[in-house]
Amino acid sequence: MKKTVAVLSTAVLASSLFVGTAFAFTDVDDSQSAVVKELTDRGIVSGMDSEHFAPKGTISYAQGVQLIVKAFGHNLDLMRFMKMPAASDFFSNIQNDSWYADAFVRAHFNGVDIPKDVNPNAVMTREQFAHMLDGALGRKANLPMVKMFVEIKDGDQITPELQGSIQRLVHYNVVALDKDGKFSPKSELTRGEAAAWIYNAIKVLEQAQKPVQSEKIELSVEKVNDDVNKVTLSRGEKPDAGYAIAIDSISFGQDGRAVIRYTLQDPKPDQMYADMITVPKAVAYISSKYEAVLEPAAIGSPTLHSSHPMIPAQ
């Protein structure tokens, strides 16, 4: 089974968009056809021809920037300029009449971190694209700070200033380590990998932008001793074991409040659960000096928010 599912077409990224039917591509596994179709339907990726995605091909820096711009809808619609900006105003090696010039301008004004002396024709590495993707996703999704550290076996090969980006993308399941726990940061990025990461990032963004959960959660506080209180969050009775609640974080403010942020999980349609009455609960212990206050999290942990289909990111 192929691990990659899509490709960025030079023709797509350059100028003439060719959109084929995802199910017609002979180098895409049947189980991944729906993912490819979603990306092509959105106009983000496309085939080399009517039968091939060529997912093992590499992408240039220019193609990577264009992909980020397309995926996140970067534009200049709400910006006003005395003089329309040109790519050469910000990048020393970008010609203003090149097919990718507009993408670099849009990326620049939308906060994508691109070196001023970037070579647009250079092949992108995995860590370079991961850094750009993390920046674009973070600004769009307003994700909470990641405090958990993921062990990456070849982490010493990652450029130090890009470590944080890769840690975040692994944490949110946008990218995955290989079976040996390695990321291979200096390896050339393939078209299939880029498409897979983009797809996963879009799903994380869509989850982050969902309306905050409005279900009523019961809060009870029980004294453990003079210094500690036991705080319990409950969803009440539910019809099966597919419901859950988890505490994402607790913020202790100078106003004496302990703000407890939580996420909810509902049954996944493709899974079976025990048919029994349950009462999903989550427990935390806080100082008795603080008043417990509940607040739904905008986005939860990867564990609770993994219901979207993630495609292999290697």
Side-chain angles (χ1 to χ4, degrees), residues 280-303:
K281 294 182 179 181
V283 175
Y285 294 86
I286 65 175
S287 169
S288 58
K289 297 179 181 178
Y290 290 87
E291 175 191 3
V293 178
L294 298 184
E295 181 179 298
I299 182 171
S301 65
T303 300

Side-chain angles (χ1 to χ4, degrees), residues 180-191:
D180 298 317
K182 296 181 178 181
F183 179 69
S184 302
K186 307 301 184 194
S187 295
E188 294 179 341
L189 178 76
T190 68
R191 300 171 188 247

Side-chain angles (χ1 to χ4, degrees), residues 21-78:
T21 302
F23 295 97
F25 295 114
T26 59
D27 53 358
V28 176
D29 187 88
D30 289 343
S31 65
Q32 300 167 330
S33 294
V35 172
V36 176
K37 185 176 188 304
E38 179 172 338
L39 292 174
T40 55
D41 286 349
R42 293 186 183 212
I44 298 173
V45 300
S46 185
M48 295 294 288
D49 55 42
S50 61
E51 296 184 354
H52 302 97
F53 260 156
K56 294 183 180 180
T58 59
I59 67 171
S60 68
Y61 216 111
Q63 292 169 336
V65 170
Q66 178 80 328
L67 177 59
I68 294 287
V69 169
K70 280 178 171 286
F72 293 97
H74 289 328
N75 57 62
L76 308 179
D77 293 351
L78 300 181

Side-chain angles (χ1 to χ4, degrees), residues 26-249:
T26 59
D27 53 358
V28 176
D29 187 88
D30 289 343
S31 65
Q32 300 167 330
S33 294
V35 172
V36 176
K37 185 176 188 304
E38 179 172 338
L39 292 174
T40 55
D41 286 349
R42 293 186 183 212
I44 298 173
V45 300
S46 185
M48 295 294 288
D49 55 42
S50 61
E51 296 184 354
H52 302 97
F53 260 156
K56 294 183 180 180
T58 59
I59 67 171
S60 68
Y61 216 111
Q63 292 169 336
V65 170
Q66 178 80 328
L67 177 59
I68 294 287
V69 169
K70 280 178 171 286
F72 293 97
H74 289 328
N75 57 62
L76 308 179
D77 293 351
L78 300 181
M79 303 179 190
R80 297 293 180 268
F81 304 96
M82 295 294 293
K83 178 183 80 71
M84 285 303 296
S88 60
D89 295 338
F90 315 103
F91 305 103
S92 57
N93 297 319
I94 305 298
Q95 299 297 317
N96 292 331
D97 59 353
S98 60
W99 66 263
Y100 47 78
D102 181 62
F104 274 85
V105 172
R106 294 183 185 215
H108 172 78
F109 280 100
N110 282 275
V112 180
D113 187 16
I114 304 173
K116 295 183 182 302
D117 60 350
V118 62
N119 176 1
N121 299 313
V123 174
M124 290 200 81
T125 65
R126 286 164 59 88
E127 68 172 6
Q128 288 173 333
F129 188 73
H131 180 62
M132 282 206 312
L133 181 58
D134 170 64
L137 176 61
R139 288 178 178 82
K140 280 281 189 176
N142 192 28
L143 300 175
M145 183 181 298
V146 174
K147 297 182 179 180
M148 295 177 60
F149 179 80
V150 179
E151 181 182 6
I152 301 175
K153 295 297 185 182
D154 57 351
D156 58 336
Q157 298 178 26
I158 299 174
T159 303
E161 55 266 32
L162 307 186
Q163 283 272 4
S165 292
I166 295 170
Q167 282 283 330
R168 282 186 291 273
L169 294 186
V170 172
H171 177 81
Y172 285 108
N173 293 330
V174 173
V175 306
L177 306 179
D178 65 19
K179 59 183 177 58
D180 298 317
K182 296 181 178 181
F183 179 69
S184 302
K186 307 301 184 194
S187 295
E188 294 179 341
L189 178 76
T190 68
R191 300 171 188 247
E193 288 170 338
W197 295 3
I198 282 291
Y199 174 84
N200 293 340
I202 288 172
K203 295 307 174 184
V204 172
L205 175 60
E206 290 174 346
Q207 180 67 57
Q209 293 178 336
K210 283 185 177 180
V212 174
Q213 298 152 319
S214 59
E215 179 179 338
K216 183 178 180 180
I217 302 301
E218 297 179 3
L219 171 66
S220 64
V221 180
E222 178 183 349
K223 179 179 178 180
V224 176
N225 54 46
D226 290 340
D227 300 318
V228 178
N229 285 336
K230 176 183 177 181
V231 179
T232 302
L233 284 62
S234 172
R235 297 184 68 175
E237 291 188 352
K238 298 297 179 183
D240 60 54
Y243 295 86
I245 183 171
I247 295 174
D248 280 17
S249 65

